Amino acid sequence: MTNLTHLTIEQALKGLEKKDFTAVELTQAHIDAMEKFRSLNAYIVETPEIALKQAAESDKRRAGGKAGLIDGIPLGIKDLFCTQGVQTTAASKILEGFKPEYESTVTSNLFRDGAVMLGKTNLDEFAMGSSNTTSAFGNVINPWKRKNDNTDLVPGGSSGGSSAAVAARICMGATGTDTGGSIRQPAAFCGIAGIKPTYGRCSRWGVVAFASSLDQAGPFARTVKDNALLLRSMAGYDPKDSTSADRPVPDYAAAMTGNIKGLKIGVPKEYRVEGMPAEIEKMWQQGIDWLKSAGAEIVDVSLPHTKYALPVYYIIAPAEASSNLARYDGVRYGKRVTGENLKDMYQKTRAQGFGEEVRRRILVGTYVLSAGYYDAYYIKAQRVRRLIYNDFMSAFEKCDVLLTPTAPSAAFAIGENEDDPVKMYLNDVFTVTGNLAGLPGLALPAGLDSQGLPLGLQLLGRPWGEETLFNVAGVIEKAANFTALPASVQKAA
Ligand code: GLN
């Protein structure tokens, strides 16, 4: 039998249909692989019993001619999605042991279509970070290494467990969430593809909240088409989330016609940031050339307020986080540290429950929302957010999609960028704009740098422009022909 963990979702679905293997066999192959790669720390909780039970049910459904869209496909679920009866921690001590009574809408949708859950993947605490080093359950290790160098690298963050797991072939796809880049940046660091859809495309119900006006769920997978298959199942209107959009969910895979003749691709000059490695600049140019030779037209566009995006994000995201995280008080959820009185209990619970980065965000957020600074910071940031949105809308009068690099560097070493939080925040320079404007953004691997690490390209689209993103990404994917594997994964195969 072929190595089942190396199949794409598309191939696995065909194999299941042709009875080349069963969902139980496919799942078991992944469970075995998970054991081999446990040192990556990609999963906080593994759920092999649930997975095998779901897989057996999937086989029955298929035998009865009732298979769903992704029936029998084993996935990793970011531990920010509430899963009924299965510990959900947001990688925080404050939620250790918390077993939700309900299932998030996104995971319910995936299960409705037949997905199998292998476990809950690791992340930065409350999805705050770009390196997956702030998790209370230990950092995740990127399966990729630099050539002739054994240094452990970060998988990116916050969805680093999901991206590392997909890259290491210990799940076929995974869920992520993206508040400022947490799907796209880890996808780039791990050499896989991921999409943050338009704000409102996936329900946020049952997803632990970080910054509610920015958070959006989306998939990770090794191919663009696999992302299209997963997003179709995840997306959709949900009356339980008033910000979810009541629009039909298209067949995203069907939009991948490969025909982009005459499509206008915008290249924003403000994304040429200082200090960006020449190799990333080169990769970006390569992407432009690929699209040009496929018949697209390249247009230069300007997004003049880009330089304010990071400061605006790091006001709005902490402000919303400080408000969302007020609910963790030792009374209603997870951890409780008893104290002399009620206030003492709140303080002790929060002091012991939250890690350093989460505390930093709560402090910044509370500060910018305080009576004296609300207008100067929070309101000002909201106004600039609007200008950033307007920039995009003017750009989309001239083009259909924007092409940019995904991140300003390849994966860095664990411990690097830790001395200065602002340095870490710079990782999100190309991705936060999409969240601030609510736009869809797709990241895909485009090649390797001279150290042998993957580099990604990002496509940003108009609101509800996911189909165009998938189509253009398919063209880049074909041209890039990214087939490289992390050495450890190659060896295990
Ligand atoms: N790295 C960004 C942050 O730390 C984005 C995180 C995310 O998208 N969840 O806030």
Side-chain angles (χ1 to χ4, degrees), residues 78 127-130 157-158 177-182 210 313-314 361 428:
K78 186 179 186 180
M128 298 172 188
S130 305
S158 65
T177 61
D178 190 313
T179 304
S182 278
F210 165 8
Y313 173 83
Y314 278 100
R361 307 269 179 129
D428 308 323

Side-chain angles (χ1 to χ4, degrees), residues 53-177:
K53 188 165 163 269
Q54 288 174 326
E57 284 161 8
S58 167
D59 283 330
K60 253 192 245 151
R61 270 193 303 273
R62 199 173 286 281
K66 292 207 176 77
L69 287 173
I70 47 168
D71 225 305
I73 299 300
L75 302 178
I77 302 297
K78 186 179 186 180
D79 201 22
L80 202 63
F81 291 82
C82 285
T83 40
Q84 193 173 11
V86 177
Q87 177 181 266
T88 301
T89 64
S92 181
K93 269 199 258 174
I94 213 156
L95 279 174
E96 192 160 12
F98 169 58
K99 289 190 179 164
E101 297 295 325
Y102 49 83
E103 191 70 44
S104 83
T105 298
V106 163
T107 43
S108 302
N109 290 347
L110 287 167
F111 297 149
R112 172 203 64 206
D113 288 350
V116 167
M117 176 171 80
L118 291 167
K120 304 294 294 285
T121 57
N122 207 339
L123 64 149
D124 278 300
E125 187 177 2
F126 282 101
M128 298 172 188
S130 305
S131 57
N132 214 131
T133 49
T134 73
S135 166
F137 298 88
N139 60 264
V140 174
I141 297 173
N142 191 330
W144 289 89
K145 294 215 189 299
R146 296 181 187 127
K147 252 189 256 159
N148 309 320
D149 179 345
N150 218 20
T151 312
D152 283 337
L153 306 176
V154 303
S158 65
S159 317
S162 290
S163 63
V166 173
R169 275 70 182 162
I170 53 176
C171 59
M172 305 201 97
T175 64
T177 61

Side-chain angles (χ1 to χ4, degrees), residues 151-345:
T151 312
D152 283 337
L153 306 176
V154 303
S158 65
S159 317
S162 290
S163 63
V166 173
R169 275 70 182 162
I170 53 176
C171 59
M172 305 201 97
T175 64
T177 61
D178 190 313
T179 304
S182 278
I183 291 177
R184 291 160 287 161
Q185 184 255 19
F189 279 18
C190 291
I192 59 166
I195 178 169
K196 176 205 98 72
T198 309
Y199 184 78
R201 184 68 287 188
C202 291
S203 168
R204 290 183 296 110
W205 195 80
V207 183
V208 175
F210 165 8
S212 308
S213 77
L214 301 161
D215 297 344
Q216 196 41 216
F220 285 101
R222 294 187 288 267
T223 67
V224 175
K225 175 79 83 55
D226 284 2
N227 269 283
L229 297 173
L230 292 178
L231 182 61
R232 186 177 180 191
S233 290
M234 292 167 73
Y237 173 61
D238 177 11
K240 292 197 284 252
D241 173 4
S242 61
T243 62
S244 83
D246 193 358
R247 301 170 66 101
V249 179
D251 179 351
Y252 296 115
M256 295 177 63
T257 61
N259 180 4
I260 58 160
K261 280 211 174 61
L263 207 73
K264 293 199 173 74
I265 312 289
V267 178
K269 63 167 183 279
E270 289 79 5
Y271 281 51
R272 274 207 168 88
V273 297
E274 215 183 296
M276 186 165 81
E279 287 184 290
I280 292 188
E281 177 90 39
K282 218 174 103 197
M283 181 60 62
W284 192 8
Q285 187 55 48
Q286 177 68 262
I288 294 171
D289 295 342
W290 284 329
L291 294 178
K292 217 193 274 176
S293 25
E297 191 186 318
I298 308 298
V299 288
D300 288 325
V301 295
S302 173
L303 301 166
H305 296 91
T306 300
K307 60 174 174 296
Y308 302 115
L310 271 181
V312 163
Y313 173 83
Y314 278 100
I315 289 172
I316 293 175
E320 294 184 16
S322 73
S323 160
N324 271 325
L325 270 56
R327 75 190 69 174
Y328 304 103
D329 54 9
V331 178
R332 286 163 293 186
Y333 302 89
K335 189 181 180 77
R336 171 181 301 175
V337 184
T338 47
E340 315 254 296
N341 50 41
L342 186 65
K343 198 167 160 202
D344 194 37
M345 180 190 82

